Amino acid sequence: MSRKKKPLPILENVTITDYAAEGKALAKVDDIVVFVPFAVPGDVVDLQVRRKKHRYCEAEIIRMVKPSGVRVEPCCSHFGLCGGCKWQNVPYAEQLKMKQKQVYDQLTRIGKVEIPEIRPILGSEKIFAYRNKLEFGCSNKRWLTKDEISSGTEYSQMNAIGFHISGAFDKILPIDKCFLMDDLHNRIRNEVRDYAYSTGMTFFDLRNKHGLLRDIVIRNSDTGEWMVLVQFHYDEEGDSVRAKALMQHIADSFPEITALLYVDNQKANDTYNDLELQVFKGNDYIFETMEDLKFKVGAKSFYQTNTEQALRLYSVARDFAGLTGTELVYDLYTGTGTIANFVSRYARKVIGIEYVPEAIEDAKVNSEINGIRNTEFYAGDMKDILTDDFISDNGRPDVIITDPPRAGMHPDVVQTIIRTGAKRIVYVSCNPATQARDLAMLDQYYKVGAVQPVDMFPHTPHVENVVLLVKRSDMCC
């Protein structure tokens, strides 16, 4: 007979004292750390414990006793349900302070490396409508709030377009208005929803893998171009016709869209890098600009999602590289070659490496359309491409710029970087925790020369960080 679990406790009159990882806040109750989402330091709250461990617990607010003096009213009606903008109830100036502290804590506590004084974080001029890309899931299982469930109402329409709910992968929170992108994206998404409702189009069932409408990706650019990619899942005869009818409705309703694409995705996940995309109208790309350069961005291409802050981020990286025009530069995880082309005029030669072949083809095109002739690009897994033989064939780099994914760099890549003997490494990171881990591996050979945080994602706990590493044997005593 199984032991009956004790009910989890309610904690009353708890004062929130600080911010924690993943956008949560924290408090201490009887020497136990309590993590609380959507709380603000200074809040006095009653908490319901949802998960209890020996040294910590996780809880949620069930009553606001006294709100913090720094708390602000979120503008979004989806705040607290959608997991995207967890800090929308915090003034932006406070958000920047916490991101600055996050970078310091992770570099010193995880990396345990000596760092100079961190430069003040570069905040985003736009704190709303700053993104150039959003992705929305389509599901036949709409997420119901606690109030909706407790009301006992039976909902005839359970299809939804919106964001996935954390911890419930097959359910979608319907989104009516999101403030992260230009408002045209709201009108496009809602028009697709209304058309699908009115025509009886089926929505995808993530568990049972059926349903026609699956996913929508919307991108825009500083050139005024818009891209929409709709993922379908053809189940039965006639689905192709129904899909094309929706695409025609989108094209007719939104002449602003310059790249309208679709794909039949029969896989178990929503990734489409290995699928052939079909162009319904216009091009299969849009253009972004940076200074006097143009960058071709396809549906499969990575491009920083905050266009204006990307310029500031890459300007920092270029400044840290200290180029004089004579250097051979390796640009690791080059994506569509944005950084490589951005720094090329200041270097003798730039070699870019990226995993996604389509992105590498875009990188080559980006060099061509900008008249850049001192770049070379290679596609493949970084740890397989960046080898001693590759370095022997292409030359030892004077400067390495690396901008890896959130997981950071593979240990083999770090060791190869060390063996290159590059004088400078510029490490651009979207995850200071894994950056700190990699800095620890590099610390014997490279000293941190400068640290510059850049905020790319207002209202979220995410922060980009650029670190300059200088080879120790090249430093003055």
Side-chain angles (χ1 to χ4, degrees):
M1 188 173 180
S2 61
R3 183 186 304 172
K4 190 175 181 180
K5 291 185 179 180
K6 293 182 180 179
L8 293 171
I10 291 176
L11 309 175
E12 297 183 329
N13 291 305
V14 176
T15 300
I16 304 297
T17 57
D18 204 350
Y19 294 102
E22 300 176 354
K24 297 176 182 176
L26 64 83
K28 275 195 173 183
V29 179
D30 298 330
D31 294 326
I32 299 292
V33 174
V34 185
F35 295 103
V36 187
F38 306 112
V40 176
D43 283 344
V44 180
V45 292
D46 292 345
L47 300 171
Q48 171 66 66
V49 175
R50 296 299 183 193
R51 187 166 176 247
K52 194 173 186 299
K53 294 294 183 180
H54 180 63
R55 294 176 180 268
Y56 72 93
C57 64
E58 298 177 5
E60 65 179 30
I61 299 173
I62 56 174
R63 186 171 77 97
M64 179 67 66
V65 178
K66 181 182 178 183
S68 168
V70 299
R71 176 182 280 270
V72 295
E73 188 67 24
C75 68
C76 181
S77 63
H78 304 296
F79 178 78
L81 292 172
C82 166
C85 299
K86 295 179 179 177
W87 281 357
Q88 218 182 83
N89 57 355
V90 180
Y92 188 54
E94 288 294 312
Q95 295 178 31
L96 294 178
K97 289 179 185 177
M98 293 315 304
K99 294 185 182 192
Q100 182 96 9
K101 181 177 182 294
Q102 177 186 334
V103 169
Y104 174 82
D105 288 347
Q106 290 176 332
L107 294 191
T108 55
R109 294 179 184 178
I110 298 174
K112 295 183 172 61
V113 295
E114 182 182 353
I115 61 172
E117 183 176 354
I118 298 176
R119 299 182 181 189
I121 187 170
L122 299 176
S124 178
E125 291 187 10
K126 288 183 179 177
I127 63 172
F128 293 107
Y130 63 83
R131 288 186 66 100
N132 57 40
K133 179 185 177 184
L134 283 173
E135 183 168 354
F136 299 95
C138 307
S139 173
N140 66 342
K141 291 184 175 63
R142 173 192 159 196
W143 176 261
L144 296 176
T145 67
K146 292 178 181 178
D147 290 342
E148 288 173 330
I149 294 172
S150 62
S151 72
T153 303
E154 291 189 12
Y155 292 89
S156 58
Q157 184 56 267
M158 289 298 292
N159 293 328
I161 300 178
F163 295 130
H164 288 271
I165 287 289
S166 178
F169 79 96
D170 63 333
K171 291 184 172 61
I172 290 290
L173 174 69
I175 298 296
D176 181 62
K177 184 177 180 64
C178 175
F179 290 85
L180 292 180
M181 197 173 179
D182 181 280
D183 190 60
L184 179 61
H185 95 279
N186 287 312
R187 292 193 281 123
I188 293 172
R189 182 194 62 251
N190 292 340
E191 185 63 30
V192 171
R193 176 201 64 198
D194 293 345
Y195 176 90
Y197 286 175
S198 66
T199 59
M201 182 174 287
T202 57
F203 283 52
F204 193 59
D205 186 318
L206 282 159
R207 288 187 182 272
N208 297 312
K209 305 295 184 291
H210 66 75
L212 180 56
L213 189 57
R214 180 167 186 164
D215 188 88
I216 305 169
V217 180
I218 304 176
R219 304 180 86 141
N220 69 351
S221 72
D222 61 354
T223 60
E225 296 172 282
W226 284 80
M227 173 187 289
V228 175
L229 166 64
V230 182
Q231 289 198 56
F232 296 103
H233 182 273
Y234 297 166
D235 286 322
E236 55 190 50
E237 187 177 351
D239 273 352
S240 174
V241 174
R242 283 183 280 271
K244 289 177 181 176
L246 169 60
M247 299 304 292
Q248 187 62 57
H249 181 76
I250 297 172
D252 292 342
S253 302
F254 300 101
E256 301 95 329
I257 298 173
T258 57
L260 182 57
L261 304 93
Y262 68 101
V263 64
D264 172 25
N265 185 352
Q266 295 290 324
K267 300 192 305 177
N269 60 61
D270 292 333
T271 60
Y272 50 85
N273 278 342
D274 57 340
L275 301 178
E276 184 177 353
L277 308 182
Q278 305 297 319
V279 177
F280 188 85
K281 171 198 166 186
N283 303 311
D284 62 353
Y285 59 86
I286 56 179
F287 281 110
E288 289 276 7
T289 63
M290 189 171 292
E291 292 185 338
D292 58 347
L293 302 175
K294 289 179 66 177
F295 293 97
K296 177 186 175 186
V297 181
K300 299 179 182 180
S301 304
F302 170 79
Y303 193 88
Q304 290 285 355
T305 52
N306 186 333
T307 301
E308 294 179 6
Q309 284 297 92
L311 173 59
R312 303 183 79 184
L313 181 74
Y314 294 157
S315 295
V316 171
R318 185 173 63 188
D319 178 59
F320 280 7
L323 302 175
T324 63
T326 63
E327 295 85 3
L328 172 61
V329 179
Y330 280 12
D331 180 28
L332 310 184
Y333 312 93
T334 191
T336 56
T338 314
I339 293 180
N341 287 298
F342 188 67
V343 306
S344 61
R345 72 184 70 180
Y346 302 93
R348 172 172 56 85
K349 184 177 181 181
V350 184
I351 294 175
I353 304 174
E354 166 62 38
Y355 179 74
V356 180
E358 290 85 356
I360 284 297
E361 292 308 307
D362 283 347
K364 293 175 181 177
V365 170
N366 286 331
S367 288
E368 183 179 348
I369 63 179
N370 288 291
I372 296 170
R373 296 179 175 81
N374 62 335
T375 57
E376 286 184 12
F377 297 98
Y378 297 87
D381 191 301
M382 188 64 62
K383 69 181 188 318
D384 298 330
I385 295 289
L386 187 67
T387 64
D388 293 336
D389 288 341
F390 180 90
I391 294 163
S392 178
D393 292 340
N394 290 277
R396 293 189 176 275
D398 302 292
V399 176
I400 291 176
I401 301 174
T402 182
D403 186 5
R406 290 191 62 79
M409 297 190 292
H410 190 282
D412 291 351
V413 174
V414 175
Q415 293 306 313
T416 305
I417 286 174
I418 291 171
R419 290 198 297 275
T420 67
K423 294 181 179 181
R424 286 184 168 220
I425 300 170
V426 180
Y427 193 147
V428 182
S429 173
C430 59
N431 185 353
T434 54
Q435 182 185 48
R437 178 204 65 200
D438 294 345
L439 294 183
M441 289 190 282
L442 291 161
D443 187 56
Q444 182 179 350
Y445 304 93
Y446 290 89
K447 182 180 178 63
V448 176
V451 181
Q452 176 65 73
V454 181
D455 184 26
M456 306 287 286
F457 308 105
H459 310 303
T460 79
H462 301 298
V463 59
E464 296 267 341
N465 191 47
V466 190
V467 170
L468 168 64
L469 295 160
V470 182
K471 191 177 179 185
R472 289 187 180 275
S473 59
D474 293 327
M475 296 185 68
C476 297
C477 299

